Amino acid sequence: KFVRGVSLKLAVGLMIGTVWYKKADPPLNENIFPMQGALFILTINSVIETLAQTIISFPIYRALLIREYRNGSYSLVAYYVAMMLAKGLLGIVFVFAIVLPIYFMVGLQLNISKFLYFVSLMICMTCIGNALGVAVGATSADLISAQNKLMPTLAPLILFSGYVLPKDQIPKYFVWLYDISFFQYGINAMLLNQFTGLEFEDFNIFKLHIFKTGEQYLKTIGMDPDTHHIENYLGILAGYAVAITFMGYWIIKFILVV
């Protein structure tokens, strides 16, 4: 199962890397949107695929957990910590399996700090997927109801992440969904990581290649590097992962007590 999971991640990474092959190298104005597309797909995939696998796990073991917990076989804290650690460590391996082919095939910036930030962001998004999958799965009595909750949970957060619909075009009564969407923090952090320090090789005002640096482009989309820092976004995503993990614990605890 472990080998199958790694192989699947490698296959997805190779597929994305093939579709967006060398779209970021050399850096060109005309490839800005394709670069964003690759980062968007990767960010969304890191959550959806993990959540889809995790959301069905709790309903499968629900009856067994309730019985053994009430029989005093183990404490809920020990069970939950062990489960989340196992999923987290497995998620880190899967992150490297998908990131390595994509990062180098797409041609993202060859800089060790940027690569480490990239991996850290992916790990945070994967942890969010794991934690959210457990939390939502814990509220489901069976596999069907768990699967039916997948897209209603994620669709609004994806739709109002700022990529499908730019923030300034989101209706005012839906802006709060943009503010709470962890997808927008992940995507914006990816953009900051990739475009900061980037110099476009096809700058030519007469050909409408108007951006000379990545910072210039970021400012046009409201992501001025002087006021938006990747460390802050990384901290927010880590906070989401921790908060949703605790939420999942209390949901399971409530179910066991009831």
Side-chain angles (χ1 to χ4, degrees):
K1 186 176 180 180
F2 172 77
V3 174
R4 185 169 67 248
V6 172
S7 299
L8 179 62
K9 292 293 184 178
L10 280 171
V12 172
L14 289 170
M15 181 185 70
I16 295 176
T18 301
V19 172
W20 279 276
Y21 184 71
K22 292 299 180 184
K23 288 299 183 181
D25 184 26
L28 304 174
N29 275 253
E30 62 185 25
N31 284 338
I32 288 177
F33 186 73
M35 265 195 284
Q36 284 184 291
L39 297 175
F40 173 76
I41 291 294
L42 190 57
T43 304
I44 299 301
N45 177 267
S46 64
V47 174
I48 290 182
E49 191 170 344
T50 306
L51 191 150
Q53 294 172 357
T54 309
I55 199 172
I56 64 175
S57 62
F58 189 83
I60 294 175
Y61 301 111
R62 180 190 182 107
L64 177 63
L65 172 62
I66 292 175
R67 185 180 72 243
E68 294 192 352
Y69 173 77
R70 291 179 177 173
N71 288 338
S73 300
Y74 43 70
S75 71
L76 178 58
V77 172
Y79 167 83
Y80 193 75
V81 169
M83 177 181 66
M84 296 308 294
L85 280 177
K87 291 182 180 297
L89 292 174
L90 192 62
I92 291 173
V93 175
F94 287 164
V95 162
F96 277 98
I98 195 173
V99 160
L100 288 175
I102 291 176
Y103 199 91
F104 297 104
M105 290 179 71
V106 175
L108 301 177
Q109 289 200 60
L110 294 178
N111 180 293
I112 186 63
S113 64
K114 288 188 176 294
F115 177 76
L116 292 176
Y117 272 127
F118 191 88
V119 171
S120 299
L121 290 168
M122 286 292 294
I123 290 174
C124 282
M125 298 302 291
T126 299
C127 288
I128 289 173
N130 275 328
L132 189 60
V134 171
V136 176
T139 65
S140 308
D142 52 57
L143 292 177
I144 301 300
S145 61
Q147 292 171 335
N148 288 339
K149 292 175 181 177
L150 178 61
M151 288 316 296
T153 302
L154 293 181
L157 301 178
I158 295 174
L159 180 61
F160 299 109
S161 64
Y163 181 84
V164 179
L165 191 64
K167 182 181 179 181
D168 57 3
Q169 296 182 27
I170 297 175
K172 291 183 179 180
Y173 41 85
F174 282 135
V175 171
W176 66 274
L177 283 169
Y178 172 87
D179 293 330
I180 68 169
S181 174
F182 45 78
F183 286 115
Q184 69 98 349
Y185 293 107
I187 293 168
N188 287 338
M190 289 286 192
L191 293 176
L192 280 169
N193 192 53
Q194 175 59 21
F195 285 99
T196 302
L198 197 67
E199 293 188 5
F200 294 104
E201 296 185 6
D202 63 339
F203 171 70
N204 190 324
I205 195 69
F206 298 106
K207 293 183 178 180
L208 298 181
H209 296 169
I210 59 175
F211 300 114
K212 187 174 183 179
T213 66
E215 286 83 355
Q216 290 177 340
Y217 170 70
L218 289 171
K219 290 178 181 179
T220 65
I221 60 172
M223 292 292 297
D224 188 343
D226 293 332
T227 55
H228 294 73
H229 306 289
I230 190 170
E231 295 86 357
N232 295 342
Y233 284 89
L234 190 58
I236 291 171
L237 291 173
Y240 265 100
V242 172
I244 298 173
T245 298
F246 276 103
M247 181 178 70
Y249 171 80
W250 286 108
I251 290 174
I252 295 177
K253 186 174 179 64
F254 174 78
I255 290 172
L256 294 178
V257 171
V258 173

